[in-house]
Amino acid sequence: MATGSGTIDAMRPPGPLADPMLPRFLRIRRASKETHDTVTLELDDSEAAPRFAPGQFNMLYLFGAGEAAISISGSPARPETLVHTVRGVGAVTAPLLRAKRGHVLGVRGPYGSAWPIEEAANTGCDLLLLAGGIGLAPLRPVIYEVLRRRRAFGRLIILYGVRTPADLLYRKELNQWRTHPGVTVKLIVDRAAAGWSGRVGVLTDLLGAVEFDPAETIAMACGPEVMMRFAHRELARRGVPEQRVYLSLERNMKCAVGLCGHCQFGPTFICKDGPVFTADQVLPLLQVREL
Ligand SMILES: Cc1cc2nc3c(=O)[nH]c(=O)nc-3n(C[C@H](O)[C@H](O)[C@H](O)COP(=O)(O)OP(=O)(O)OC[C@H]3O[C@@H](n4cnc5c(N)ncnc54)[C@H](O)[C@@H]3O)c2cc1C
Ligand code: FES
């Protein structure tokens, strides 16, 4: 069975159509509130949509505020509708919560490496997705792709943890996904609230609640770095090889094309070598605190 090493370089994911530093200007077709601090923006990219691969990100530019790296959270089969899910935390993303249909945003990208979808299809491995909070956004294109080409993949196990039930993204879809054959969805929250009858705890608790064969599984994780460290540790304990554990790093970015050094750790640029890495590539970087 092929392993993950080298897969990212061997299958270079798509990039921007023209000058990678030049934004395209796209109009918001729909803005849907997900939670009190998160919105999903659908942009009309029907004129010249570049292809993208699950896991890649764009730089979104809000006039008067600046740019932020945001993962593409829509379907790769529908690049003409460019979808991003944004949590409002700072100078750019907080005002994006108030963006409305018709507003225009600048978009540069797509950038970065991708989740190993084709490796999963070629090997027939099961897919184990571990998402914490907004980390479900870059994994959603994987789910769309697996459901679109269902027979090409093994089982799909989605483990999703959030702080409180009110922080769950894509609520309707979570319920739809679990109705598909061979798909398991398990949720967990840090703190319960009235009406929550599901599990309370940390994401890694869910790993004990699902059956998988470590030798036939590809794991993909995105979320707070502490969650990814614990997820990696637990996956290693269960016997999933490091080369088949993929993590997406969401460190701060500026240029997104390997020019400014803002995201650099030694020889590694998160923007162009990542954000998706195998665990063996990225674990040394997780020891380095953000500057
Ligand atoms: C590859 C990649 C993909 C990403 N995908 C997504 C995604 O899909 N969705 C998403 O919502 N985010 C995503 N992010 C994260 C997003 O890019 C960051 O949250 C980004 O910093 C937001 O930009 P901002 O200008 O709004 O926030 P900033 O103003 O840069 O603030 C960022 C953080 O710093 C804190 N901060 C700001 N100012 C101060 C201060 N003066 N003192 C102390 N703390 C401060 C804020 O509270 C916040 O936590 C992604 C990041 C990367 C690298
Ligand atoms: S963001 Fe500029 S080098 Fe990565």
Side-chain angles (χ1 to χ4, degrees), residues 57 59 251-264 268-272:
F57 67 98
M59 295 301 287
R251 298 275 175 116
N252 268 341
M253 296 196 177
K254 289 279 180 216
C255 71
V257 291
L259 289 178
C260 72
H262 202 79
C263 70
Q264 188 175 1
T268 306
F269 291 82
I270 308 289
C271 64
K272 67 183 180 69

Side-chain angles (χ1 to χ4, degrees), residues 73-176:
S73 64
S75 168
R78 297 187 55 213
E80 72 288 353
T81 302
L82 191 54
V83 187
H84 298 88
T85 302
V86 182
R87 191 160 84 191
V89 296
V92 176
T93 51
L96 275 175
L97 293 182
R98 298 188 294 276
K100 295 271 182 298
R101 179 189 163 94
H103 286 176
V104 171
L105 301 180
V107 178
R108 293 195 285 128
Y111 299 122
S113 57
W115 300 110
I117 288 279
E118 294 313 319
E119 180 190 347
N122 294 339
T123 58
C125 276
D126 292 338
L127 277 117
L128 175 58
L129 309 188
L130 300 103
I134 191 75
L136 186 57
L139 286 165
R140 189 166 70 158
V142 174
I143 299 169
Y144 287 148
E145 202 52 14
V146 171
L147 295 181
R148 192 175 70 86
R149 298 161 53 197
R150 188 68 200 93
R151 291 155 79 102
F153 297 92
R155 284 188 313 144
L156 174 63
I157 303 169
I158 302 165
L159 308 183
Y160 180 35
V162 288
R163 276 175 291 194
T164 71
D167 294 308
L168 285 169
L169 301 177
Y170 317 136
R171 281 154 183 273
K172 268 196 199 152
E173 286 181 297
L174 288 167
N175 285 328
Q176 282 164 6

Side-chain angles (χ1 to χ4, degrees), residues 126-255:
D126 292 338
L127 277 117
L128 175 58
L129 309 188
L130 300 103
I134 191 75
L136 186 57
L139 286 165
R140 189 166 70 158
V142 174
I143 299 169
Y144 287 148
E145 202 52 14
V146 171
L147 295 181
R148 192 175 70 86
R149 298 161 53 197
R150 188 68 200 93
R151 291 155 79 102
F153 297 92
R155 284 188 313 144
L156 174 63
I157 303 169
I158 302 165
L159 308 183
Y160 180 35
V162 288
R163 276 175 291 194
T164 71
D167 294 308
L168 285 169
L169 301 177
Y170 317 136
R171 281 154 183 273
K172 268 196 199 152
E173 286 181 297
L174 288 167
N175 285 328
Q176 282 164 6
W177 294 336
R178 54 161 53 103
T179 65
H180 288 261
V183 178
T184 302
V185 178
K186 299 238 178 247
L187 309 178
I188 196 160
V189 299
D190 291 345
R191 294 187 307 280
W196 177 257
S197 55
R199 295 183 69 127
V200 179
V202 292
L203 186 70
T204 40
D205 295 346
L206 290 179
L207 277 172
V210 286
E211 293 285 321
F212 60 92
D213 176 356
E216 301 288 332
T217 296
I218 293 177
M220 306 180 192
C222 188
E225 291 189 7
V226 62
M227 173 223 112
M228 292 202 285
R229 271 200 294 271
F230 279 103
H232 164 261
R233 190 185 296 174
E234 188 55 23
L235 290 166
R237 201 185 64 75
R238 296 279 293 262
V240 182
E242 287 212 322
Q243 303 89 329
R244 245 184 276 129
V245 175
Y246 290 80
L247 308 172
S248 181
L249 275 199
E250 299 205 338
R251 298 275 175 116
N252 268 341
M253 296 196 177
K254 289 279 180 216
C255 71

